[in-house]
Amino acid sequence: MELTVDRRWDLVDRIAKETVEVGVYRPSLKDALADVTVRPATGIPVAIAVIYGFWMFFCEFAGTLFTDGFFVKIFDGHWLPWLQEVFPFGLGNWFYELMVDAGHMENGVLVASDNCFEAFGVLTSGLFIAIGVVLPAIIAFYLILGLLEDMGYLPRLAVLVDTVLHKIGLHGYAIVPTFLSLGCNVPGVSATRSLETRKQRFMMITLLGVFIPCGAQIGMMQDLIPAQIGWVFLTLLVGYLGVGWILNKVWPGGESPEILMDVPPYQMPTWGNIGRKLWIRVSGFFKVAVPFVLLGCVIVGILYLTGAMDHIANALEPLLTNVFGVPSDTVAPLVAGFLRKDLAVGMLEPIEMTTFQLFTSVVLLCIYFPCLATFALMIKELNWKEILGCLATLVVVVFIFGGILHGIGTIGGWY
Amino acid sequence: MNKILLMGQPNVGKSVLFNRLAGARAIESNYPGTTVDYTKGHLMLDGKSVEIIDVPGTFSLDPKDRAEEVAVKMLEGEKDAVVVCVIDASKVERGLYLTLEVIEKGYPVIVALNMWDVAKGGNIKINAPRLEQILGVPVVPTVATRGEGLRELVVRIREAEPVEIEEILNSVGGNRSGTYS
Amino acid sequence: MDKKLSEMRYEEEGRIKKIEESLRAQIAGMGIREGKDIKMMTKQPIKGPVVVSVDRSNTSIGLGLADKIIVEVKR
Ligand SMILES: Nc1nc2c(ncn2[C@@H]2O[C@H](COP(=O)(O)OP(=O)(O)O)[C@@H](O)[C@H]2O)c(=O)[nH]1
Ligand SMILES: [Mg+2]
């Protein structure tokens, strides 16, 4: 026999009455902390401090300590010169070019590269990007995320941002998929399953796919354009909120439901669990990302060697230079970006362009397409109509953002 | 018994329990909605390897989002599974609601009263033996994070049996109209 | 005195008197039911959600949903 809802609750009450005895409860430090972090007057400053601290740790730990302080020295000072010395064939040979160093022309002479960003071989740039830059970034990100997750801070952040996110048709809980996406878009897209309506899920997945850069990409950006990265985030945030607001108006599916969410008590995080999660996520990242970065290097190298890249660049030149105001050389990173965004950002480094063009290229790389792994999951999670909606949004966003940035650059005289 | 499902509301400690029991690696976090898909693992029971599944959390068997849908479909698809209902001992009532729903569907159930430490710290006393008497299924207090009670939980899984809801209605005291309505 | 949950002031306490049918089953699963004691923990500005405490657990509820809950406020 099955009970009705009311009779079942009735039974629950009777069982609880006989078996549960609730004594007095003395609020503890945890409860005081819970109050402080969720009340707007104190909670909002705390939230800003937490996010700022998160970012500072990310930059210091990943960028300064590991990448600049350690890996750059190893890769540029020892690994690259060693490979240049011992690898057979030498400069000018196609296999050497693919694996170690393509070199570059200086006064009509082909000279060897002196750093791993420019060498662009599988074993040099490929490994440097994957291990030297992205690995520390991913570790730093997941270390802090794990800490916030285990303490129970995220639901509080969700309450605080609900006011804003509700206005664009999402609710505060969207902060969870968004944070996860800042590590990697794939788990971020999966996490949208805990949103209630199809419309919310569609909007969230679209916004994640278009506007949220992953940890690997952020690590590379932080390394390449530390001075402009704030502007990149601001541009993306404007897009996230603005496009969210518009999608909410135009996409059918009615009003967004309101937040209804448990806010679990704080708890002491344990290093054991944080370490275990870090390991699960970093090793998962490694299994997927490293082969893809190396594969990306090989594919791009082959496109260059066969001359195909020049054809694509010529074909897209009018679009890239006239509409977006970036050099046609950026076509190579855009191709690589289908596979890995981190690799793509790294490929921007050797291209000659102004700072503003570099900034525009980085923004375009974020929004023009999610990586293939994310896109595959999006296809699984959305129906065909939603996929078309998502792709249409993407195309419109790329043209509008690219165009506006080009306009701003022209007015500012930054070309 | 061919499968064991770990079911319960979000954030009650199912994934911690699962990782402990199956030596597996599901992500554990202190917010609802961490697990949105199921994870499978294996548990040795009487020398046999039995599949155990970490099901996404659900408030009831009447799903309201995709993660809950996954949970309910999982339960419906595994007609001869044993269900370990994981309850947050500091929030017994809502956990019991889901447990009753699962019992009504005819599944053999065993209850893990997890977060026993939290309940104790909050001065909440639960008479587990009496609860076991009323429900007619094994009830085991556990602290998943410290591994407490897990041995007993595993040993008693085979005592899980389907119970008629009428039996529960008969064995509980109190008047039928209850305290509210 | 009866009030909508959305109108309760910060730190005000009361007992839940009525929950609209459309919300009742869903919110009951989170431990919020008629007859339960409830306390307003925080209210977010500009029509943001409220956070309430019932049976010592905290739940965040959008203001529109909080409109559907009637509370008998303790004085
Ligand atoms: N104090 C205490 N915390 C626990 C216990 N079991 C789980 N937790 C914590 O509760 C949170 C939720 O656990 P998780 O397994 O992710 O919950 P799930 O959503 O049911 O899978 C985590 O932060 C765990 O560390 C327990 O028995 N005692
Ligand atoms: Mg879980």
Side-chain angles (χ1 to χ4, degrees), chain A residues 2-3 8-10 12-15 18-21 23-24 149-151 173 193 262 264-265 273 277 279 381, chain B residues 11 25 28-32 36-37 66-67 93-94 97 101 104 123 125-127 130-131 173 175-178 180:
Chain A
E2 293 191 18
L3 301 172
R8 195 177 298 124
W9 277 118
D10 188 42
V12 167
D13 277 335
R14 283 156 61 199
I15 296 174
E18 262 190 71
T19 55
V20 185
E21 197 183 308
V24 284
E149 281 183 337
D150 282 16
M151 280 174 58
Y173 199 80
R193 289 187 178 175
D262 256 336
N273 190 40
K277 279 205 284 199
W279 173 246
E381 295 286 318
Chain B
N11 218 41
R25 316 195 304 176
E28 317 159 356
S29 295
N30 188 18
Y31 60 86
V36 290
D37 208 347
R66 276 261 300 190
E93 295 173 17
R94 51 202 260 189
Y97 183 87
E101 276 192 301
E104 285 166 36
N123 217 351
K125 291 199 186 71
I126 302 168
N127 189 341
R130 177 70 187 127
L131 186 58
N175 62 355
R176 183 148 288 211
S177 62
Y180 79 101

Short mmCIF file of all heavy atoms in Angstrom, two decimals, chain A residues 2-3 8-10 12-15 18-21 23-24 149-151 173 193 262 264-265 273 277 279 381, chain B residues 11 25 28-32 36-37 66-67 93-94 97 101 104 123 125-127 130-131 173 175-178 180:
data_model
loop_
_atom_site.label_atom_id
_atom_site.label_comp_id
_atom_site.label_asym_id
_atom_site.label_seq_id
_atom_site.Cartn_x
_atom_site.Cartn_y
_atom_site.Cartn_z
N GLU A 2 0.44 2.27 -0.70
CA GLU A 2 1.16 3.54 -0.66
C GLU A 2 0.30 4.62 0.00
O GLU A 2 -0.90 4.68 -0.21
CB GLU A 2 1.54 3.97 -2.07
CG GLU A 2 2.58 3.03 -2.66
CD GLU A 2 3.19 3.54 -3.95
OE1 GLU A 2 3.07 4.75 -4.21
OE2 GLU A 2 3.77 2.72 -4.68
N LEU A 3 0.92 5.43 0.81
CA LEU A 3 0.21 6.47 1.55
C LEU A 3 0.11 7.75 0.72
O LEU A 3 0.86 7.95 -0.21
CB LEU A 3 0.96 6.78 2.84
CG LEU A 3 1.17 5.63 3.82
CD1 LEU A 3 2.09 6.08 4.95
CD2 LEU A 3 -0.16 5.15 4.38
N ARG A 8 1.58 10.23 5.02
CA ARG A 8 2.97 9.82 5.23
C ARG A 8 3.66 10.76 6.23
O ARG A 8 4.35 10.30 7.13
CB ARG A 8 3.71 9.79 3.89
CG ARG A 8 5.03 9.03 3.95
CD ARG A 8 5.70 8.97 2.60
NE ARG A 8 4.93 8.26 1.60
CZ ARG A 8 4.57 8.78 0.44
NH1 ARG A 8 4.91 10.01 0.11
NH2 ARG A 8 3.88 8.07 -0.43
N TRP A 9 3.41 12.04 6.08
CA TRP A 9 4.00 12.98 7.04
C TRP A 9 3.45 12.74 8.44
O TRP A 9 4.16 12.85 9.43
CB TRP A 9 3.73 14.43 6.63
CG TRP A 9 4.72 14.93 5.63
CD1 TRP A 9 4.47 15.34 4.36
CD2 TRP A 9 6.14 15.05 5.81
NE1 TRP A 9 5.63 15.71 3.74
CE2 TRP A 9 6.67 15.54 4.60
CE3 TRP A 9 7.01 14.78 6.87
CZ2 TRP A 9 8.03 15.78 4.42
CZ3 TRP A 9 8.36 15.02 6.69
CH2 TRP A 9 8.86 15.51 5.48
N ASP A 10 2.18 12.42 8.48
CA ASP A 10 1.54 12.11 9.73
C ASP A 10 2.26 10.94 10.42
O ASP A 10 2.59 10.99 11.60
CB ASP A 10 0.08 11.75 9.43
CG ASP A 10 -0.73 11.61 10.68
OD1 ASP A 10 -0.54 12.45 11.58
OD2 ASP A 10 -1.53 10.66 10.77
N VAL A 12 5.32 9.97 9.82
CA VAL A 12 6.67 10.43 10.19
C VAL A 12 6.61 11.11 11.55
O VAL A 12 7.43 10.85 12.44
CB VAL A 12 7.23 11.41 9.13
CG1 VAL A 12 8.47 12.13 9.67
CG2 VAL A 12 7.57 10.67 7.85
N ASP A 13 5.62 11.98 11.73
CA ASP A 13 5.50 12.69 13.00
C ASP A 13 5.31 11.74 14.17
O ASP A 13 5.90 11.92 15.24
CB ASP A 13 4.31 13.67 12.95
CG ASP A 13 4.70 14.97 12.27
OD1 ASP A 13 5.90 15.30 12.29
OD2 ASP A 13 3.81 15.64 11.72
N ARG A 14 4.49 10.73 13.94
CA ARG A 14 4.24 9.78 15.03
C ARG A 14 5.49 8.98 15.36
O ARG A 14 5.78 8.70 16.53
CB ARG A 14 3.07 8.87 14.68
CG ARG A 14 1.73 9.62 14.85
CD ARG A 14 0.63 9.04 14.00
NE ARG A 14 0.34 7.65 14.35
CZ ARG A 14 -0.30 6.81 13.54
NH1 ARG A 14 -0.70 7.21 12.35
NH2 ARG A 14 -0.54 5.58 13.92
N ILE A 15 6.22 8.60 14.32
CA ILE A 15 7.46 7.84 14.56
C ILE A 15 8.46 8.74 15.30
O ILE A 15 9.08 8.32 16.29
CB ILE A 15 8.08 7.34 13.24
CG1 ILE A 15 7.15 6.34 12.56
CG2 ILE A 15 9.43 6.69 13.50
CD1 ILE A 15 7.61 5.91 11.17
N GLU A 18 8.01 9.25 19.02
CA GLU A 18 8.41 8.15 19.89
C GLU A 18 9.91 7.91 19.95
O GLU A 18 10.40 7.23 20.85
CB GLU A 18 7.77 6.85 19.37
CG GLU A 18 6.52 6.50 20.12
CD GLU A 18 6.07 5.11 19.75
OE1 GLU A 18 6.74 4.14 20.13
OE2 GLU A 18 5.05 5.02 19.04
N THR A 19 10.63 8.40 18.94
CA THR A 19 12.04 8.01 18.89
C THR A 19 13.02 9.16 18.99
O THR A 19 14.20 8.93 19.22
CB THR A 19 12.33 7.26 17.56
OG1 THR A 19 11.92 8.11 16.48
CG2 THR A 19 11.60 5.96 17.47
N VAL A 20 12.56 10.37 18.79
CA VAL A 20 13.50 11.49 18.77
C VAL A 20 13.22 12.45 19.91
O VAL A 20 12.07 12.80 20.18
CB VAL A 20 13.40 12.27 17.43
CG1 VAL A 20 14.47 13.36 17.39
CG2 VAL A 20 13.55 11.34 16.26
N GLU A 21 14.30 12.82 20.59
CA GLU A 21 14.16 13.76 21.69
C GLU A 21 15.15 14.89 21.44
O GLU A 21 16.35 14.68 21.38
CB GLU A 21 14.51 13.03 22.98
CG GLU A 21 14.05 13.72 24.23
CD GLU A 21 14.55 12.92 25.44
OE1 GLU A 21 14.30 11.69 25.49
OE2 GLU A 21 15.21 13.53 26.28
N GLY A 23 17.01 18.04 22.61
CA GLY A 23 17.38 18.79 23.81
C GLY A 23 17.71 20.23 23.48
O GLY A 23 17.55 20.67 22.35
N VAL A 24 18.16 20.95 24.50
CA VAL A 24 18.52 22.35 24.24
C VAL A 24 19.79 22.42 23.42
O VAL A 24 20.64 21.54 23.47
CB VAL A 24 18.73 23.15 25.55
CG1 VAL A 24 17.40 23.47 26.17
CG2 VAL A 24 19.65 22.41 26.48
N GLU A 149 34.17 24.22 -0.82
CA GLU A 149 33.12 23.20 -0.92
C GLU A 149 32.93 22.49 0.41
O GLU A 149 31.80 22.29 0.87
CB GLU A 149 33.51 22.14 -1.95
CG GLU A 149 33.31 22.52 -3.38
CD GLU A 149 33.66 21.36 -4.30
OE1 GLU A 149 34.42 20.46 -3.90
OE2 GLU A 149 33.17 21.35 -5.42
N ASP A 150 34.04 22.09 1.02
CA ASP A 150 33.94 21.27 2.22
C ASP A 150 33.53 22.06 3.45
O ASP A 150 32.87 21.53 4.34
CB ASP A 150 35.26 20.54 2.47
CG ASP A 150 35.38 19.34 1.56
OD1 ASP A 150 34.63 19.30 0.57
OD2 ASP A 150 36.22 18.46 1.82
N MET A 151 33.91 23.34 3.49
CA MET A 151 33.45 24.17 4.59
C MET A 151 31.95 24.35 4.52
O MET A 151 31.27 24.43 5.54
CB MET A 151 34.05 25.57 4.49
CG MET A 151 35.44 25.71 4.96
SD MET A 151 35.94 27.40 4.57
CE MET A 151 34.67 28.31 5.44
N TYR A 173 21.72 29.37 -7.05
CA TYR A 173 22.41 28.08 -7.11
C TYR A 173 23.28 27.98 -8.36
O TYR A 173 24.21 27.17 -8.40
CB TYR A 173 21.40 26.93 -7.05
CG TYR A 173 22.09 25.66 -6.65
CD1 TYR A 173 22.38 25.41 -5.32
CD2 TYR A 173 22.52 24.75 -7.60
CE1 TYR A 173 23.07 24.29 -4.94
CE2 TYR A 173 23.22 23.62 -7.24
CZ TYR A 173 23.49 23.40 -5.91
OH TYR A 173 24.19 22.29 -5.54
N ARG A 193 22.37 19.88 -13.84
CA ARG A 193 21.26 18.95 -13.62
C ARG A 193 20.49 19.24 -12.35
O ARG A 193 19.36 18.77 -12.18
CB ARG A 193 21.78 17.52 -13.53
CG ARG A 193 22.24 17.01 -14.83
CD ARG A 193 22.57 15.57 -14.69
NE ARG A 193 22.97 15.02 -15.98
CZ ARG A 193 23.40 13.79 -16.14
NH1 ARG A 193 23.48 13.01 -15.09
NH2 ARG A 193 23.73 13.36 -17.31
N ASP A 262 18.58 24.15 0.65
CA ASP A 262 19.14 23.91 1.97
C ASP A 262 20.44 24.68 2.13
O ASP A 262 21.23 24.74 1.20
CB ASP A 262 19.53 22.43 2.06
CG ASP A 262 18.54 21.65 2.89
OD1 ASP A 262 17.87 22.26 3.72
OD2 ASP A 262 18.45 20.43 2.68
N PRO A 264 23.41 24.10 4.35
CA PRO A 264 23.93 23.20 5.38
C PRO A 264 24.87 23.94 6.34
O PRO A 264 25.44 24.96 5.96
CB PRO A 264 24.70 22.15 4.58
CG PRO A 264 25.03 22.80 3.29
CD PRO A 264 23.95 23.79 3.01
N PRO A 265 25.01 23.43 7.58
CA PRO A 265 25.89 24.09 8.53
C PRO A 265 27.36 24.03 8.07
O PRO A 265 27.72 23.15 7.31
CB PRO A 265 25.70 23.29 9.82
CG PRO A 265 25.02 22.03 9.44
CD PRO A 265 24.35 22.25 8.14
N ASN A 273 40.03 14.72 2.83
CA ASN A 273 39.06 14.80 1.74
C ASN A 273 39.47 15.82 0.68
O ASN A 273 39.30 15.58 -0.51
CB ASN A 273 37.67 15.13 2.29
CG ASN A 273 36.60 14.98 1.23
OD1 ASN A 273 36.64 14.05 0.43
ND2 ASN A 273 35.67 15.90 1.19
N LYS A 277 40.00 14.78 -3.17
CA LYS A 277 39.29 15.41 -4.29
C LYS A 277 40.26 16.04 -5.27
O LYS A 277 40.08 15.96 -6.48
CB LYS A 277 38.35 16.50 -3.75
CG LYS A 277 37.07 15.97 -3.23
CD LYS A 277 35.97 17.00 -3.30
CE LYS A 277 36.09 18.03 -2.22
NZ LYS A 277 34.82 18.74 -2.02
N TRP A 279 43.21 15.10 -5.90
CA TRP A 279 43.82 14.03 -6.67
C TRP A 279 42.88 13.53 -7.76
O TRP A 279 43.26 13.37 -8.91
CB TRP A 279 44.23 12.90 -5.72
CG TRP A 279 44.73 11.70 -6.46
CD1 TRP A 279 44.14 10.47 -6.51
CD2 TRP A 279 45.91 11.61 -7.28
NE1 TRP A 279 44.87 9.63 -7.31
CE2 TRP A 279 45.96 10.30 -7.80
CE3 TRP A 279 46.90 12.52 -7.63
CZ2 TRP A 279 46.97 9.87 -8.64
CZ3 TRP A 279 47.92 12.09 -8.48
CH2 TRP A 279 47.95 10.78 -8.97
N GLU A 381 23.32 16.80 -23.22
CA GLU A 381 22.42 17.35 -22.21
C GLU A 381 21.26 18.15 -22.81
O GLU A 381 20.24 18.36 -22.15
CB GLU A 381 23.20 18.24 -21.24
CG GLU A 381 24.22 17.51 -20.40
CD GLU A 381 23.59 16.66 -19.30
OE1 GLU A 381 22.64 17.12 -18.66
OE2 GLU A 381 24.04 15.52 -19.11
N ASN B 11 23.20 15.82 0.47
CA ASN B 11 24.10 16.25 1.54
C ASN B 11 23.98 15.50 2.87
O ASN B 11 24.24 16.06 3.92
CB ASN B 11 23.94 17.75 1.79
CG ASN B 11 25.27 18.41 2.10
OD1 ASN B 11 26.28 18.10 1.47
ND2 ASN B 11 25.28 19.29 3.07
N ARG B 25 35.85 6.42 -5.57
CA ARG B 25 36.22 7.81 -5.54
C ARG B 25 35.12 8.71 -6.09
O ARG B 25 35.22 9.26 -7.17
CB ARG B 25 37.48 8.03 -6.37
CG ARG B 25 38.53 6.97 -6.12
CD ARG B 25 39.86 7.39 -6.65
NE ARG B 25 39.82 7.74 -8.07
CZ ARG B 25 40.87 8.22 -8.72
NH1 ARG B 25 41.99 8.42 -8.10
NH2 ARG B 25 40.78 8.51 -10.00
N GLU B 28 32.98 14.22 -2.74
CA GLU B 28 32.18 14.56 -1.56
C GLU B 28 32.31 16.05 -1.29
O GLU B 28 33.41 16.56 -1.29
CB GLU B 28 32.72 13.83 -0.32
CG GLU B 28 33.09 12.38 -0.54
CD GLU B 28 34.07 11.88 0.54
OE1 GLU B 28 34.51 12.67 1.39
OE2 GLU B 28 34.39 10.68 0.48
N SER B 29 31.19 16.72 -1.05
CA SER B 29 31.26 18.15 -0.75
C SER B 29 30.13 18.55 0.16
O SER B 29 29.10 17.88 0.18
CB SER B 29 31.13 18.97 -2.03
OG SER B 29 32.22 18.74 -2.86
N ASN B 30 30.33 19.66 0.87
CA ASN B 30 29.30 20.11 1.79
C ASN B 30 28.34 21.10 1.13
O ASN B 30 28.27 22.25 1.50
CB ASN B 30 29.95 20.73 3.03
CG ASN B 30 28.94 21.04 4.11
OD1 ASN B 30 27.83 20.51 4.09
ND2 ASN B 30 29.29 21.91 5.03
N TYR B 31 27.64 20.64 0.11
CA TYR B 31 26.52 21.40 -0.43
C TYR B 31 25.60 20.45 -1.19
O TYR B 31 26.07 19.44 -1.71
CB TYR B 31 26.97 22.57 -1.32
CG TYR B 31 27.77 22.20 -2.54
CD1 TYR B 31 27.13 21.85 -3.72
CD2 TYR B 31 29.14 22.21 -2.52
CE1 TYR B 31 27.86 21.53 -4.85
CE2 TYR B 31 29.88 21.89 -3.65
CZ TYR B 31 29.23 21.55 -4.81
OH TYR B 31 29.95 21.23 -5.91
N PRO B 32 24.31 20.76 -1.22
CA PRO B 32 23.40 19.85 -1.92
C PRO B 32 23.67 19.90 -3.42
O PRO B 32 23.99 20.96 -3.95
CB PRO B 32 22.01 20.40 -1.58
CG PRO B 32 22.21 21.79 -1.08
CD PRO B 32 23.60 21.87 -0.55
N VAL B 36 25.37 14.42 -9.32
CA VAL B 36 24.24 14.57 -10.23
C VAL B 36 24.09 13.35 -11.13
O VAL B 36 23.16 13.25 -11.91
CB VAL B 36 24.36 15.83 -11.10
CG1 VAL B 36 24.16 17.07 -10.26
CG2 VAL B 36 25.68 15.87 -11.82
N ASP B 37 25.03 12.43 -11.02
CA ASP B 37 24.93 11.19 -11.77
C ASP B 37 25.33 10.07 -10.82
O ASP B 37 25.93 10.32 -9.79
CB ASP B 37 25.87 11.25 -12.98
CG ASP B 37 25.35 10.39 -14.10
OD1 ASP B 37 24.43 9.58 -13.86
OD2 ASP B 37 25.87 10.51 -15.23
N ARG B 66 16.57 17.22 -12.87
CA ARG B 66 17.16 16.10 -13.61
C ARG B 66 17.96 15.16 -12.71
O ARG B 66 17.97 13.95 -12.92
CB ARG B 66 18.09 16.64 -14.70
CG ARG B 66 17.36 17.01 -15.95
CD ARG B 66 17.48 15.90 -16.95
NE ARG B 66 18.88 15.65 -17.29
CZ ARG B 66 19.25 14.87 -18.27
NH1 ARG B 66 18.36 14.28 -19.01
NH2 ARG B 66 20.53 14.69 -18.52
N ALA B 67 18.64 15.72 -11.71
CA ALA B 67 19.43 14.87 -10.83
C ALA B 67 18.49 13.94 -10.05
O ALA B 67 18.77 12.75 -9.89
CB ALA B 67 20.27 15.72 -9.89
N GLU B 93 13.34 13.63 10.50
CA GLU B 93 11.98 13.57 9.96
C GLU B 93 11.95 13.52 8.44
O GLU B 93 11.28 12.69 7.83
CB GLU B 93 11.15 14.75 10.48
CG GLU B 93 10.97 14.65 11.98
CD GLU B 93 10.30 15.88 12.57
OE1 GLU B 93 9.69 16.65 11.80
OE2 GLU B 93 10.38 16.06 13.79
N ARG B 94 12.71 14.43 7.84
CA ARG B 94 12.66 14.44 6.38
C ARG B 94 13.28 13.20 5.78
O ARG B 94 12.87 12.72 4.72
CB ARG B 94 13.29 15.72 5.85
CG ARG B 94 14.64 16.00 6.41
CD ARG B 94 14.96 17.45 6.28
NE ARG B 94 15.82 17.66 5.13
CZ ARG B 94 16.42 18.80 4.85
NH1 ARG B 94 16.22 19.85 5.61
NH2 ARG B 94 17.18 18.92 3.81
N TYR B 97 10.76 10.41 5.80
CA TYR B 97 9.75 10.54 4.76
C TYR B 97 10.18 9.77 3.51
O TYR B 97 9.44 8.95 2.98
CB TYR B 97 9.55 12.03 4.42
CG TYR B 97 8.47 12.25 3.40
CD1 TYR B 97 7.14 12.38 3.78
CD2 TYR B 97 8.77 12.33 2.04
CE1 TYR B 97 6.14 12.58 2.85
CE2 TYR B 97 7.77 12.52 1.09
CZ TYR B 97 6.46 12.65 1.51
OH TYR B 97 5.48 12.83 0.58
N GLU B 101 8.73 6.21 1.77
CA GLU B 101 8.38 6.10 0.35
C GLU B 101 9.04 4.87 -0.28
O GLU B 101 8.41 4.15 -1.05
CB GLU B 101 8.84 7.35 -0.42
CG GLU B 101 7.88 8.51 -0.37
CD GLU B 101 8.27 9.59 -1.38
OE1 GLU B 101 9.39 10.11 -1.28
OE2 GLU B 101 7.47 9.90 -2.26
N GLU B 104 7.39 1.72 1.02
CA GLU B 104 6.08 1.53 0.38
C GLU B 104 6.20 0.91 -1.00
O GLU B 104 5.31 0.18 -1.45
CB GLU B 104 5.35 2.88 0.25
CG GLU B 104 4.79 3.39 1.57
CD GLU B 104 4.39 4.86 1.48
OE1 GLU B 104 3.90 5.27 0.42
OE2 GLU B 104 4.58 5.58 2.47
N ASN B 123 22.68 17.82 20.73
CA ASN B 123 21.81 17.36 21.82
C ASN B 123 20.50 16.76 21.32
O ASN B 123 19.45 16.95 21.92
CB ASN B 123 21.54 18.53 22.77
CG ASN B 123 21.49 18.04 24.20
OD1 ASN B 123 21.50 16.83 24.46
ND2 ASN B 123 21.43 18.97 25.14
N LYS B 125 18.62 13.29 20.77
CA LYS B 125 18.74 11.88 21.12
C LYS B 125 17.77 11.07 20.28
O LYS B 125 16.58 11.37 20.22
CB LYS B 125 18.41 11.68 22.61
CG LYS B 125 19.44 12.27 23.53
CD LYS B 125 19.32 11.65 24.93
CE LYS B 125 20.27 12.36 25.88
NZ LYS B 125 19.80 13.76 26.19
N ILE B 126 18.31 10.03 19.65
CA ILE B 126 17.44 9.19 18.83
C ILE B 126 17.49 7.77 19.38
O ILE B 126 18.56 7.21 19.61
CB ILE B 126 17.91 9.18 17.37
CG1 ILE B 126 17.92 10.62 16.83
CG2 ILE B 126 16.98 8.33 16.51
CD1 ILE B 126 18.63 10.75 15.52
N ASN B 127 16.33 7.22 19.62
CA ASN B 127 16.23 5.87 20.12
C ASN B 127 16.25 4.91 18.93
O ASN B 127 15.21 4.52 18.41
CB ASN B 127 14.92 5.74 20.93
CG ASN B 127 14.84 4.42 21.65
OD1 ASN B 127 15.55 3.47 21.31
ND2 ASN B 127 13.98 4.36 22.65
N ARG B 130 14.36 1.48 19.15
CA ARG B 130 12.91 1.65 19.05
C ARG B 130 12.51 1.95 17.59
O ARG B 130 11.51 1.44 17.10
CB ARG B 130 12.47 2.80 19.99
CG ARG B 130 11.00 3.14 19.93
CD ARG B 130 10.12 2.05 20.54
NE ARG B 130 8.70 2.32 20.32
CZ ARG B 130 7.84 1.46 19.77
NH1 ARG B 130 8.24 0.25 19.38
NH2 ARG B 130 6.57 1.78 19.62
N LEU B 131 13.32 2.76 16.94
CA LEU B 131 13.05 3.09 15.53
C LEU B 131 13.09 1.81 14.69
O LEU B 131 12.25 1.59 13.82
CB LEU B 131 14.09 4.09 15.02
CG LEU B 131 13.88 4.65 13.61
CD1 LEU B 131 12.53 5.34 13.50
CD2 LEU B 131 14.99 5.63 13.25
N GLY B 173 2.95 4.13 18.11
CA GLY B 173 1.90 4.61 19.00
C GLY B 173 1.34 5.93 18.51
O GLY B 173 1.48 6.28 17.34
N ASN B 175 -1.88 8.95 18.33
CA ASN B 175 -3.17 8.85 17.67
C ASN B 175 -3.04 9.13 16.18
O ASN B 175 -2.12 9.77 15.70
CB ASN B 175 -4.20 9.78 18.33
CG ASN B 175 -3.79 11.23 18.21
OD1 ASN B 175 -2.70 11.52 17.73
ND2 ASN B 175 -4.64 12.11 18.65
N ARG B 176 -3.95 8.59 15.43
CA ARG B 176 -3.85 8.57 14.00
C ARG B 176 -3.89 9.96 13.36
O ARG B 176 -3.29 10.20 12.33
CB ARG B 176 -4.98 7.70 13.45
CG ARG B 176 -4.93 7.54 11.97
CD ARG B 176 -5.45 6.21 11.55
NE ARG B 176 -4.52 5.16 11.90
CZ ARG B 176 -4.41 4.04 11.18
NH1 ARG B 176 -5.17 3.84 10.15
NH2 ARG B 176 -3.56 3.11 11.54
N SER B 177 -4.57 10.86 14.00
CA SER B 177 -4.70 12.18 13.37
C SER B 177 -3.41 13.00 13.50
O SER B 177 -3.24 13.99 12.81
CB SER B 177 -5.86 12.96 13.97
OG SER B 177 -5.59 13.18 15.34
N GLY B 178 -2.53 12.55 14.38
CA GLY B 178 -1.24 13.21 14.47
C GLY B 178 -1.29 14.54 15.18
O GLY B 178 -2.32 14.92 15.75
N TYR B 180 -0.46 17.54 13.79
CA TYR B 180 -0.78 18.73 12.98
C TYR B 180 -1.85 18.38 11.97
O TYR B 180 -2.27 17.25 11.87
CB TYR B 180 0.46 19.25 12.26
CG TYR B 180 0.82 18.49 11.03
CD1 TYR B 180 0.50 18.98 9.77
CD2 TYR B 180 1.43 17.25 11.11
CE1 TYR B 180 0.80 18.26 8.63
CE2 TYR B 180 1.74 16.55 9.99
CZ TYR B 180 1.43 17.06 8.74
OH TYR B 180 1.73 16.36 7.63
#
